[in-house]
Amino acid sequence: LNGKKVLITAGPTYEQIDPVRFIGNYSTGKMGVAIAEEMQNRGAEVTLVLGPSSVKVNTGIKLVPVKTAEDMFTACEKIFPGCDIAVMSAAVADYTPVNNALEKIKKTGHELTLQLTKTKDILKTLGEQKTGKQVLVGFALETNNETAYALQKLQTKNADMIVLNSLQDAGAGFGYDTNKITIFDKDGTTFPFDMKSKKNVAIDIVNTIIQQFYAKN
Ligand code: CTP
């Protein structure tokens, strides 16, 4: 991947409710950081747009720290046009509070209703902007109907590949050092993999990208 420019998103996003609270998720960023490092090992110039995460990132990777889905969207919109490959592994919030209270919300009644609005879908937006030379890889994290949902995301988001993680596999998903993935590409090929360390899963993902999009020509 010498000379190739790669954009990776990783980690969760934090959607602010008030100055002390947010809506987040259990993503740690480990998988995305491992992919960024493997891309770098193969000679790529890597930019990592990373949500709140305590994972250490190799020097040499250009780190763009972000907090919210909106921040991540803005960063990716700017970086993507100059990239050859984009891998969207971040667990982006699908909804964000309509109001971000300037002061801490005090407890009052028995119930509290938060109104949420949809965030911009980064993968889908980049899928609409993608040129024929760019490779766009998305992730799907599912608990049921995994294959059907993964194939649906491949289509609706105009991705070239979808990496599926199933939460039904023990040892796969948020927080673990291992993961079990299946890759689907837009030509209808399925690549199943065994449970491995996230470092070795990253090697499989990068190898599959190289094999499908670069080694053939
Ligand atoms: N994603 C994104 N921007 C969002 C939401 C998701 O770029 N606002 C990306 C993720 O990084 C991942 C893929 O889309 O690569 C799948 O995300 P997911 O949230 O599972 O898919 P959704 O289309 O939001 O569908 P659902 O939540 O119904 O499964």
Side-chain angles (χ1 to χ4, degrees):
L1 296 177
N2 280 341
K4 297 273 180 268
K5 292 194 167 64
V6 178
L7 164 66
I8 314 274
T9 67
T13 63
Y14 285 3
E15 308 302 319
Q16 197 153 315
I17 297 169
D18 71 13
V20 295
R21 305 179 178 100
F22 61 86
I23 297 173
N25 60 67
Y26 292 121
S27 170
T28 57
K30 278 183 194 167
M31 191 64 249
V33 170
I35 298 167
E37 290 180 350
E38 185 54 24
M39 290 285 189
Q40 188 195 30
N41 290 341
R42 302 299 187 88
E45 207 179 295
V46 182
T47 304
L48 174 64
V49 177
L50 181 62
S53 166
S54 56
V55 178
K56 291 270 170 300
V57 177
N58 275 356
T59 51
I61 291 176
K62 189 173 173 214
L63 182 64
V64 180
V66 295
K67 197 163 103 176
T68 65
E70 183 65 30
D71 295 344
M72 191 173 272
F73 178 86
T74 307
C76 290
E77 277 265 282
K78 218 159 102 190
I79 299 161
F80 182 64
C83 286
D84 301 289
I85 304 169
V87 181
M88 309 277 100
S89 68
V92 188
D94 288 326
Y95 291 88
T96 192
V98 170
N99 298 309
N100 174 0
L102 292 177
E103 291 172 350
K104 186 183 164 195
I105 300 171
K106 302 300 285 178
K107 50 175 178 300
T108 48
H110 270 298
E111 288 178 2
L112 174 72
T113 304
L114 284 175
Q115 199 183 353
L116 306 177
T117 183
K118 238 187 196 156
T119 57
K120 293 173 191 148
D121 191 321
I122 305 165
L123 177 61
K124 189 157 186 275
T125 307
L126 301 189
E128 286 159 3
Q129 296 171 355
K130 166 167 86 84
T131 67
K133 286 190 177 150
Q134 290 176 302
V135 174
L136 182 61
V137 180
F139 269 67
L141 177 71
E142 307 292 348
T143 56
N144 56 298
N145 294 333
E146 293 94 332
T147 301
Y149 285 137
L151 291 174
Q152 194 181 336
K153 273 173 196 160
L154 189 62
Q155 274 230 318
T156 56
K157 302 196 187 203
N158 194 30
D160 298 297
M161 263 184 188
I162 289 282
V163 180
L164 168 71
N165 293 275
S166 172
L167 282 189
Q168 281 187 2
D169 293 313
F174 295 140
Y176 291 102
D177 287 321
T178 51
N179 203 2
K180 186 174 183 318
I181 58 155
T182 307
I183 298 180
F184 299 88
D185 83 359
K186 64 173 177 202
D187 302 327
T189 317
T190 303
F191 306 85
F193 295 95
D194 295 332
M195 174 84 68
K196 305 181 177 188
S197 68
K198 285 189 173 169
K199 193 172 165 15
N200 285 325
V201 170
I203 293 173
D204 288 338
I205 293 170
V206 176
N207 278 343
T208 310
I209 293 171
I210 293 172
Q211 209 181 88
Q212 295 305 102
F213 301 101
Y214 296 102
K216 284 176 175 171
N217 312 314

